[in-house]
Amino acid sequence: MLSIVSPSKAFELITKKCTKRVHDFSVLHISQSLGCVLAENVVSKIDIPGFDRSMIDGYAVRACDTFGASESMPSMLRLAGSVRMGESPVFELAPGECAFIPTGGQLPKGADSAVMQEYCQAPDSQTVIIEKPVAPGDHLIFRGDEVSSGLTLLESGTVINSGHIGAMASAGIPSVTVFRRPVVGIISTGDELVPAGSELSGAQMFDVNSDTLAACVREALGEPEVYGIIPDDADLLLAAAKEALIKCDMLIISGGSSVGLEDQTANIINRLGSPGVFLHGIAIKPGKPTIAGLVDDKPVFGLPGHPLSAFVVFKLFVAPLIRMMAGARKDERFPLRCALASDIASNHGREEIVMVKIEKREQRLIAHPLHAKSGMIGVLSSADGYIMVDRDAEGILENSEVDVYPI
């Protein structure tokens, strides 16, 4: 019989034993790549910008022609022409000359800086008066200042966000190679469960975990495949699990993970194939009866049926594995440092996860504990994150500084 392990040991076991990655690729237009994981480095083939350009509306000048300029003693320059957007200037500035230039316009040859329009006057069509000096390089972006040709814009394993898409578009990159999302099968078990929208009768309950875990899978860079509710029947559950593992890269079964007449997930996982269950029980609250197994290199999890427990266990142990299978780099999630709004009592011999709501009060972040039993999924509608109470602690006192991990 497997012994209950600490959360850190559970995480170590899961990541050590479940090492299979998704190696299928697809090429997508960058507009369709949001949330996908890059399967190769993205390298710029051009300099950005591709020419020296102005950051302002004003006049391109030779900086030395403006030295000492002021409102009382301005520099007077001859207007050599105007720069048009999208066109390279055909003229070159000689000493004592300037040219009108819009924001983003290409700097003409001979110029080395630009003067803001508000410090200039044009008394006639051939003369510009400069009332403020500039130094070489002022108000300019030079070729390659943002990105140089050959520079890696994004590394393999990056989860593409909207900013990344903008960066690729600016480099003229139309498409990228991304990993396929891992397909994660989801089965809910229990004679008491009915789908949302059904009429409740007797002691029936709506199936919370199918939809909640499907959303969690998407957030974790996976593709959910929901198989619905399976009654507490071993043969039916075994058949559903076998079907799911044909198509899916991972399987999650919620319910039937603790010890009891109707709790059979561990036996089902062992019957599915080898090596079977390698973890049954984590010293954590909520989530103690969690099961993890491996069937032909495919991870299979048995999560508690209580929705909040299933949510917590997924976030701590399943989500990081899906990201890893998807090819994403390690998710470095930095906690927020908050002051605790009220005491938390804890003496369970298990690491405890407590949901909190964060309030900003003056210059401090305050964490309000949201106390709920493991089945109360409603607390998640108010929670901003969670704190972890050490198994050896008897609680945390009000005003203590705590680390809050955002949801």
Side-chain angles (χ1 to χ4, degrees):
M1 183 175 178
L2 296 171
S3 60
I4 296 175
V5 300
S6 68
S8 59
K9 181 62 176 179
F11 188 84
E12 179 186 343
L13 279 170
I14 291 168
T15 53
K16 182 178 180 180
K17 290 183 176 293
C18 304
T19 56
K20 186 177 180 180
R21 304 288 189 273
V22 171
H23 295 295
D24 301 333
F25 312 108
S26 59
V27 179
L28 299 178
H29 189 274
I30 58 172
S31 63
Q32 303 299 315
S33 67
L34 183 68
C36 295
V37 180
L38 280 172
E40 61 184 13
N41 291 348
V42 175
V43 178
S44 177
K45 296 181 180 179
I46 63 171
D47 292 325
I48 304 176
F51 52 86
D52 300 342
R53 68 184 187 190
S54 175
M55 298 171 60
I56 59 167
D57 290 338
Y59 291 87
V61 298
R62 293 172 176 261
C64 61
D65 288 336
T66 70
F67 292 166
S70 66
E71 290 186 17
S72 59
M73 294 186 63
S75 295
M76 189 172 296
L77 304 179
R78 188 180 75 83
L79 184 63
S82 295
V83 174
R84 298 177 61 86
M85 289 296 292
E87 297 181 6
S88 297
V90 295
F91 56 87
E92 180 176 349
L93 294 190
E97 291 184 335
C98 66
F100 175 78
I101 190 167
T103 301
Q106 182 172 350
L107 194 70
K109 292 180 179 180
D112 61 8
S113 56
V115 183
M116 297 178 70
Q117 192 167 7
E118 46 263 51
Y119 299 114
C120 304
Q121 297 183 41
D124 56 55
S125 61
Q126 295 182 337
T127 308
V128 176
I129 296 173
I130 308 295
E131 299 177 339
K132 186 175 182 179
V134 289
D138 278 0
H139 308 304
L140 301 181
I141 299 178
F142 293 99
R143 177 172 181 161
D145 267 358
E146 294 183 16
V147 175
S148 58
S149 178
L151 180 73
T152 298
L153 290 176
L154 300 169
E155 294 182 350
S156 177
T158 298
V159 181
I160 300 171
N161 62 31
S162 54
H164 297 149
I165 292 174
M168 290 187 287
S170 69
I173 296 169
S175 59
V176 287
T177 302
V178 299
F179 288 108
R180 171 179 65 81
R181 288 174 176 263
V183 179
V184 180
I186 299 170
I187 296 174
S188 288
T189 67
D191 293 332
E192 76 281 9
L193 299 179
V194 295
S198 304
E199 290 290 334
L200 293 176
S201 64
Q204 290 181 328
M205 303 169 60
F206 290 125
D207 173 21
V208 175
N209 286 343
S210 287
D211 291 332
T212 304
L213 293 175
C216 288
V217 167
R218 289 190 181 94
E219 287 180 338
L221 310 180
E223 188 65 40
E225 186 73 28
V226 179
Y227 289 87
I229 303 165
I230 306 298
D232 290 316
D233 181 293
D235 292 334
L236 291 176
L237 181 57
L238 180 63
K242 284 182 177 179
E243 178 187 349
L245 284 175
I246 293 173
K247 178 179 181 180
C248 301
D249 302 295
M250 176 191 292
L251 177 61
I252 298 173
I253 303 171
S254 67
S257 58
S258 57
V259 180
L261 293 177
E262 304 298 335
D263 299 318
Q264 52 201 352
T265 301
N267 291 331
I268 295 297
I269 294 174
N270 284 328
R271 290 172 64 186
L272 285 169
S274 60
V277 173
F278 61 80
L279 182 153
H280 193 170
I282 304 174
I284 193 173
K285 180 184 179 182
K288 178 181 177 182
T290 298
I291 299 168
L294 204 58
V295 177
D296 297 329
D297 288 333
K298 295 185 177 182
V300 181
F301 288 93
L303 302 189
H306 290 303
L308 185 56
S309 296
F311 179 86
V312 167
V313 172
F314 183 96
K315 289 292 185 180
L316 293 180
F317 304 104
V318 184
L321 181 59
I322 295 175
R323 286 182 57 89
M324 185 170 63
M325 291 175 67
R329 288 180 295 176
K330 186 177 179 181
D331 185 17
E332 297 290 352
R333 303 191 67 190
F334 299 101
L336 300 172
R337 197 67 174 162
C338 302
L340 196 61
S342 59
D343 294 346
I344 295 177
S346 179
N347 190 15
H348 303 282
R350 288 183 278 163
E351 192 165 322
E352 185 171 4
I353 307 300
V354 178
M355 296 292 168
V356 297
K357 184 175 181 62
I358 299 174
E359 171 197 7
K360 187 173 183 180
R361 189 183 299 167
E362 295 179 349
Q363 300 302 314
R364 290 183 89 192
L365 294 177
I366 310 297
H368 297 268
L370 300 172
H371 299 287
K373 295 181 180 179
S374 57
M376 303 300 290
I377 193 70
V379 71
L380 292 176
S381 64
S382 300
D384 297 310
Y386 60 88
I387 63 175
M388 306 180 74
V389 184
D390 190 86
R391 63 180 297 176
D392 297 321
E394 294 189 4
I396 305 177
L397 296 177
E398 180 181 349
N399 289 324
S400 296
E401 293 289 316
V402 294
D403 287 331
V404 175
Y405 295 86
I407 294 177

